[in-house]
Amino acid sequence: MKKDIILKMQRDGEQNTNVVMDFKKWIILWVKDFCNCTAQHGYKYLVLQHQHWLEKFMWLTVIGLSIITAAYMVNVAWYLSERHPTLTTLETDHYPIWNIPFPAITICNTNQVLRSRALELSKKMVLPKNVTHQQIFKNLQIVTQLLNPNIYEQRDDLINLQETIDANNISVRMLTKYLAPQCKQLIANCTWKGRFVHNCYKMFQDITTTEGRCCAFNYNGYLEEVMNQQQSVPVTGNIDEVQRTSTCGFQMGLSLLLDNQPHEYHSTVLASKGVKIFIDNPAAYPSGAAAEVVISVGMQVFAGISAIQTYATDSVRDMPSKVRSCQFEDEGFSKVMKMYTYHNCFTECQKNKSVALCGCHSYHYPTTGTRRTCNFLDIPCLSKNRKVLQAIHRGKYDKTIKYDIEYNDKPCNCLPDCSSLIYTVETTANTISTNSLLSSNLLLGNLSPERHSVIHIFFIDLTINEYRTDIFLEWQAFVATVGGILGLMLGFSLINGFEIVYFFTLRIFFHLTSQRKSNKKPTQAAEKCLTYKHHKQDQRTTQITSLS
């Protein structure tokens, strides 16, 4: 009984082995049949009869290297399309200046506390005990510490000044607006597009920047409710309509006669008497990221400007922002700014970081009034975190570089602009001389080298460079690239791909179906097909031999 069971198990094992062997044989024969039938280059030389094994090995090596090279090149193409999804190229070097706005011109007096205003205010204010008017007059110089906080050791002065303005119901914003030079005082005369403008100061907006209270021409960055909080006097014209010019040369740009009021200097941002001017995109917050010009009293400066414009195609807009690694100006992000720009995002980030560290933000940041503005008691905290706030990185940073500050997080994550307008400035300067100046000159008629300075801002050419940002490889281009690589390295085409799928799916199915009807083994059919192929090859070899 046991012997019968053992014999039966042996017979079943032999049958299973035969099935496995038949299947392996069938696979080998089917692959050989594919190599004979396919239009792919080189595969038939792997299965030719009467072929030396070295010859077959040579062809196997060539095919293997071709496949590896093709796979590598396709991987490189995929990597480039993923790593660099967009490409910026020069569209034209003759883009006309009348198609872009004239830059925003923001003028900041280096003196942020008028001496006469500080003296008048110190005499009017109700003072705490043991505090004199002279002390308050001197302590008002601390106002610039709110802009550029340093280590201030006299904490009693900070406490006395804050208690004084609190007792008089004066906020920091009210105080700085009252003490700073007004646009009417700073802008003495101006010409725009060659025409003298009466009451020129009305063309300027009173805004706050990193340099304090300033006067801005052609600035269109704040939302309306934020701008209304900034103004001391109404601004003439529609501020939503940016100014443009169609000519170049200093006669047809913006020329300004600036009254620096050197006798009024009481607390300065810089160790000089004069003004700092920002020249930037009308939508961007005026900051150190803009082009800057510093003019001292008694100087005349010619500031020739050019620009570089970059626009992105609709194909780039259709991509997710994380893929294209940029953001369009109308992709809203702010409650105070009209448009997204890289520097606007950075400004918002700095403000939020200041609130996180000190519970407040400096008065120069644009705000809707929902967050507390830093006062004089917050100066020690601002000074302590000054380096962190000014060095907040604006996106990616190189981890191989040793920075002064350890970046443990990414507080900003500001994406670059998809479309941008960047202004560049070239300046020349000379000393003002009134010896040969005509008295009929409307712009410079009341010029005094001891208190005035002059600046001419203008386009230096009628055209600029315009760049286009587009998708590096669209899907059609990527398919064409992959097809070219496979065609070059493997002689591969779409028909070849279908042939492979057909040969190892549909053909096997139809073949097995036909074999069931004829009761033949698959290996016999494959051997028959292969034998027929070899027979035809032998016939061709015999014909060639007889002809020779």
Side-chain angles (χ1 to χ4, degrees), residues 2-14:
K2 291 183 179 180
K3 290 182 179 181
D4 294 339
I5 293 174
I6 292 172
L7 290 173
K8 185 178 181 181
M9 292 176 64
Q10 288 178 348
R11 285 195 299 269
D12 292 342
E14 289 175 357

Side-chain angles (χ1 to χ4, degrees), residues 374-392:
C374 294
N375 56 36
F376 296 101
L377 300 182
D378 297 306
I379 288 179
C381 180
L382 295 175
S383 176
K384 177 183 177 181
N385 295 286
R386 175 187 176 188
K387 198 172 184 180
V388 175
L389 293 173
Q390 292 185 349
I392 288 178

Side-chain angles (χ1 to χ4, degrees), residues 222-278:
Y222 294 155
L223 293 173
E224 183 177 358
E225 56 269 24
V226 178
M227 182 57 71
N228 291 337
Q229 295 180 13
Q230 301 275 337
Q231 300 310 303
S232 299
V233 294
V235 180
T236 59
N238 185 1
I239 62 173
D240 289 331
E241 296 180 1
V242 294
Q243 299 291 328
R244 302 173 188 269
T245 182
S246 59
T247 55
C248 59
F250 82 92
Q251 298 92 340
M252 301 302 292
L254 178 67
S255 296
L256 298 167
L257 176 64
L258 304 175
D259 188 354
N260 298 281
Q261 298 178 284
H263 60 283
E264 287 280 12
Y265 272 56
H266 189 58
S267 181
T268 62
V269 178
L270 302 177
S272 63
K273 294 182 178 181
V275 296
K276 177 184 280 191
I277 298 179
F278 296 112

Side-chain angles (χ1 to χ4, degrees), residues 104-223:
I105 310 300
T106 307
I107 306 169
C108 307
N109 196 321
T110 56
N111 176 40
Q112 287 295 304
V113 179
L114 292 175
R115 186 179 183 85
S116 59
R117 287 288 184 95
L119 186 60
E120 178 186 2
L121 184 63
S122 63
K123 291 180 179 180
K124 289 182 178 180
M125 286 195 295
V126 177
L127 304 181
K129 294 181 180 179
N130 301 322
V131 178
T132 65
H133 293 284
Q134 188 63 29
Q135 286 178 320
I136 293 299
F137 173 70
K138 181 180 179 182
N139 289 345
L140 285 175
Q141 293 179 320
I142 305 174
V143 166
T144 52
Q145 285 282 318
L146 294 169
L147 297 171
N148 190 21
N150 295 310
I151 299 175
Y152 194 83
E153 297 180 353
Q154 303 298 325
R155 183 168 176 79
D156 291 342
D157 292 343
L158 300 177
I159 296 174
N160 291 337
L161 183 57
Q162 186 61 45
E163 288 179 350
T164 301
I165 65 173
D166 288 343
N168 291 270
N169 295 320
I170 301 175
S171 67
V172 169
R173 289 185 178 274
M174 293 171 58
L175 180 67
T176 56
K177 183 180 289 189
Y178 179 80
L179 295 176
Q182 304 298 311
C183 295
K184 185 176 182 179
Q185 299 169 310
L186 180 60
I187 313 297
N189 289 324
C190 77
T191 61
W192 169 237
K193 297 182 182 179
R195 297 180 180 180
F196 181 79
V197 180
H198 294 279
N199 296 325
C200 182
Y201 67 91
K202 293 184 178 181
M203 295 173 57
F204 288 77
Q205 306 166 36
D206 179 15
I207 67 172
T208 54
T209 73
T210 53
E211 302 299 319
R213 294 278 174 180
C214 303
C215 303
F217 169 78
N218 207 32
Y219 179 66
N220 190 31
Y222 294 155
L223 293 173

